[in-house]
Amino acid sequence: MFLRVFRKYSTAKLTHDLRLYDGRLKEKVALQIHPSKSYLSFYTCGPTVYDSAHIGHASCYVRLDILQRILRHHFHLPLVTAMNITDIDDKIIARALEQQVDWRQLARRYEDEFWSDLQRLNVRAPDVKLRVTDHIPAIVRFVQTLVEKGFGYSTADGSVYFETAKYERYGKLQKVIIEPESNASKGQKRHQSDFALWKASKPGEPFWTAQGFAQGRPGWHIECSTLASDLFGRTIDFHAGGLDLRFPHHENEETQSCCYHGVPDWVTHWLHTGQLHLEGQTHKMSKSLKNTVSIGELLGAYSADEFRMLCLLSHYRSAIEYGPEAMGTARNVLRKFASFFSDAKAYIDGLKPAAYDAASTESLLGKLSNTRTTVREFLKNDFNTANSVLALGELASNVQRIINSHEPSTSGVSLIGSSNVGAVLAVTEYIRKELVSYGVQSLDKQSPQHSQQMGNDANQSLEQLIETMVTTRSEIRLQAIETKNSQLFKVCDLLRDRLRLANVEVKDHGKTSSWNFREGSTK
């Protein structure tokens, strides 16, 4: 599978003008690409599948999905992505005992649910999925090598620990003070900062047999190091996860992997997403705090696009608030874009009269060119999606203002008219493609969601019916305008209001009218 993925991306063009935040240096650095590499590795820490995922998890994976889409679409980087599934862990064992089910069955159920949740959120599946229990022999070899190199030691119960004092660069991602050695004579771990490579099993717990170790299972940190190394080798280009994983998980991964491979740095670029919390709270969403919102609850109240827009409107490294106010803002941004697309379509279809812009002296194509440059500069600056969305919104507002204007230009120069439909179409398609490149699926004409909304026979019949009603209303309205009949105007207003109750938005443009489904409606 990996080789097939490798060939898929091996011919893509590489670029170097992106700058990323480096948590070790506390500054932005240029993207580093080894000239001999034909692809870039991108490893994401996946979930421990002992329970349903919540929107704190969702915000991390949606944000990373946005970054991967930008790397591929805007910078044409040949990514090969991978994600692990931790399907053996203390929490999985405890939950299986609590529910009186086999731990394998429980882990597989929540793993399947996780992938389903990502699909509903329009998060692209990784190129390679790595389940921990499928790679136990490789994990055992990784631990054995660390012990042989003098970095690992056994305790009295047969567990194996990494001795952090043996690695002088421990604390790359977060400063750590290693305490003096203690408890070594008692057969326990030597330093408080030492971490488990292999955990001896307790009675009744699942275990694997490994030569030289007690029966047991892998420690948490060794899993990701082994799976990523087994797939990508001695170095990783991108390693991503939530900010809460920076220490100790990513610190310990980096430490043991550098020692195993004999390299100064294992990961070139670490990407950490900010945590999500509820409006009015300052601590992260956590099952232990009982302040979680499930992904099912999220998608029952809002669309996947609205949640994605919430993520787009903040920097990926920043904390993100979830609640009615924040989601209302995200919904309104999407509605403004929907209104723009509706007006632009009406103009392109000839339903709007040619209009003039009294304020601007710059052509639409000039505005489009400037916005292209601006958006790219924002994205080059550590994935500044918030400002890029604002720039797209400003371009849409400018075009919408122009095509809806009925005032003649003071200079008498038409910025938009029948000869400039192509310019409006170019702007419309640019904005649509940009939003689709961030994963806004309702605008993607190729997505299953778009086909579901627009493609089946029932929807087509419904649209034909609405089109007939709006056309009839337009004829009545035209007669009302010609005869100045107030009663006919009231009929037109009544029809418009009734259609609005049915989630159909009708807009009048001089002597013509257009319509579209309101945001969030089902057809």
Side-chain angles (χ1 to χ4, degrees):
M1 176 180 180
F2 171 65
L3 291 177
R4 183 169 68 251
V5 172
F6 174 86
R7 286 193 294 269
K8 179 180 177 183
Y9 292 112
S10 61
T11 59
K13 181 181 178 181
L14 300 181
T15 184
H16 301 264
D17 55 355
L18 173 63
R19 297 187 66 81
L20 304 170
Y21 181 77
D22 189 316
R24 293 164 292 192
L25 300 176
K26 310 300 182 189
E27 62 182 23
K28 295 172 186 175
V29 299
L31 173 66
Q32 300 176 40
I33 304 175
H34 195 282
S36 65
K37 296 195 70 171
S38 298
Y39 71 96
L40 296 182
S41 52
F42 194 118
Y43 182 88
T44 300
C45 286
T48 300
V49 283
Y50 73 97
D51 203 346
S52 298
H54 55 66
I55 62 172
H57 304 123
S59 68
C60 173
Y61 295 118
V62 169
R63 282 171 146 182
L64 293 178
D65 180 69
I66 292 168
L67 301 193
Q68 290 179 2
R69 289 173 183 269
I70 291 171
L71 288 169
R72 283 176 163 132
H73 176 81
H74 288 271
F75 299 105
H76 310 291
L77 293 172
L79 294 187
V80 176
T81 61
M83 183 188 295
N84 77 296
I85 294 291
T86 298
D87 58 340
I88 179 64
D89 182 82
D90 291 343
K91 294 178 180 179
I92 293 174
I93 297 169
R95 183 59 56 87
L97 289 172
E98 177 186 311
Q99 297 185 8
Q100 296 185 335
V101 297
D102 183 82
W103 64 272
R104 301 175 192 84
Q105 178 185 349
L106 179 130
R108 190 58 59 86
R109 168 160 49 97
Y110 285 122
E111 179 187 346
D112 291 344
E113 183 182 289
F114 171 74
W115 294 124
S116 176
D117 284 341
L118 291 196
Q119 184 177 27
R120 295 166 67 196
L121 291 166
N122 195 33
V123 172
R124 177 174 174 169
D127 296 318
V128 185
K129 300 175 182 178
L130 301 163
R131 192 179 293 128
V132 167
T133 55
D134 293 339
H135 296 81
I136 297 298
I139 294 173
V140 170
R141 290 193 297 272
F142 205 111
V143 175
Q144 289 172 334
T145 300
L146 288 173
V147 172
E148 291 168 1
K149 289 188 171 186
F151 295 105
Y153 63 91
S154 297
T155 56
D157 68 349
S159 297
V160 181
Y161 282 84
F162 185 96
E163 187 168 3
T164 52
K166 293 287 185 70
Y167 184 60
E168 60 184 23
R169 295 185 66 197
Y170 188 69
K172 287 183 187 179
L173 304 183
Q174 180 170 309
K175 187 176 181 180
V176 179
I177 298 176
I178 299 178
E179 299 178 356
E181 183 176 322
S182 62
N183 299 322
S185 60
K186 300 178 183 179
Q188 300 175 17
K189 72 175 186 177
R190 298 171 183 173
H191 306 273
Q192 188 63 34
S193 56
D194 293 354
F195 53 89
L197 299 172
W198 187 261
K199 302 177 70 172
S201 62
K202 299 175 183 177
E205 290 184 343
F207 64 86
W208 285 264
T209 301
Q211 185 176 359
F213 308 147
Q215 293 180 336
R217 62 182 185 276
W220 177 29
H221 315 301
I222 199 70
E223 297 168 352
C224 287
S225 288
T226 302
L227 299 182
S229 296
D230 219 30
L231 183 64
F232 294 129
R234 301 172 71 242
T235 58
I236 308 293
D237 295 300
F238 298 100
H239 194 320
L243 183 62
D244 55 325
L245 296 183
R246 182 176 63 184
F247 186 88
H249 184 50
H250 288 167
E251 183 71 55
N252 293 345
E253 274 191 73
E254 173 75 10
T255 293
Q256 64 198 5
S257 298
C258 288
C259 293
Y260 177 87
H261 293 294
V263 297
D265 293 295
W266 180 53
V267 174
T268 304
H269 297 288
W270 289 97
L271 298 173
H272 292 115
T273 62
Q275 297 173 342
L276 179 144
H277 55 84
L278 300 178
E279 286 179 355
Q281 298 183 5
T282 56
H283 43 271
K284 74 166 187 173
M285 183 169 289
S286 170
K287 292 171 183 173
S288 62
L289 297 174
K290 297 181 179 180
N291 64 345
T292 62
V293 176
S294 72
I295 293 174
E297 290 172 326
L298 162 71
L299 295 178
Y302 304 101
S303 70
D305 278 352
E306 287 168 344
F307 186 72
R308 184 170 290 258
M309 183 55 68
L310 174 72
C311 296
L312 284 164
L313 291 175
S314 64
H315 193 273
Y316 77 93
R317 289 188 285 110
S318 302
I320 186 171
E321 276 197 343
Y322 173 85
E325 183 176 346
M327 289 304 299
T329 299
R331 174 174 284 176
N332 286 336
V333 170
L334 281 172
R335 283 179 173 172
K336 288 179 180 178
F337 280 117
S339 175
F340 160 71
F341 290 124
S342 174
D343 283 353
K345 183 178 185 303
Y347 179 81
I348 293 167
D349 290 346
L351 298 178
K352 282 181 173 290
Y356 299 84
D357 178 27
S360 175
T361 59
E362 187 176 66
S363 71
L364 282 179
L365 292 179
K367 292 177 184 292
L368 172 59
S369 178
N370 291 340
T371 302
R372 286 182 186 274
T373 301
T374 299
V375 167
R376 182 172 177 81
E377 289 301 314
F378 284 138
L379 297 180
K380 283 166 54 178
N381 185 18
D382 197 27
F383 306 108
N384 190 338
T385 58
N387 281 350
S388 72
V389 170
L390 290 177
L392 294 174
E394 183 178 356
L395 176 62
S397 295
N398 284 336
V399 175
Q400 197 168 18
R401 174 175 52 81
I402 293 171
I403 65 179
N404 285 328
S405 172
H406 295 284
E407 296 296 327
S409 170
T410 55
S411 64
V413 179
S414 172
L415 286 182
I416 181 166
S418 58
S419 62
N420 278 326
V421 168
V424 176
L425 182 60
V427 171
T428 303
E429 287 307 299
Y430 166 69
I431 294 176
R432 187 190 308 278
K433 287 179 180 178
E434 284 297 303
L435 294 174
V436 168
S437 77
Y438 303 153
V440 181
Q441 59 186 343
S442 61
L443 302 177
D444 187 356
K445 297 177 181 179
Q446 305 302 319
S447 72
Q449 291 78 7
H450 188 276
S451 298
Q452 182 179 358
Q453 290 176 359
M454 303 299 293
N456 61 53
D457 292 339
N459 281 344
Q460 289 179 359
S461 297
L462 175 60
E463 290 176 12
Q464 289 172 1
L465 175 61
I466 295 171
E467 183 67 35
T468 300
M469 294 176 66
V470 172
T471 300
T472 302
R473 176 186 174 276
S474 295
E475 293 172 353
I476 296 173
R477 184 170 174 275
L478 182 58
Q479 186 175 350
I481 293 173
E482 292 175 348
T483 62
K484 299 182 180 180
N485 189 318
S486 60
Q487 292 302 316
L488 291 180
F489 277 120
K490 289 180 180 180
V491 171
C492 292
D493 291 343
L494 180 62
L495 283 171
R496 181 196 60 208
D497 294 343
R498 292 285 174 83
L499 286 168
R500 184 177 177 82
L501 291 174
N503 285 320
V504 176
E505 189 81 41
V506 177
K507 292 186 177 182
D508 296 319
H509 317 288
K511 295 182 179 181
T512 62
S513 301
S514 65
W515 67 273
N516 64 284
F517 288 110
R518 297 175 63 195
E519 181 71 21
S521 67
T522 56
K523 304 164 192 172

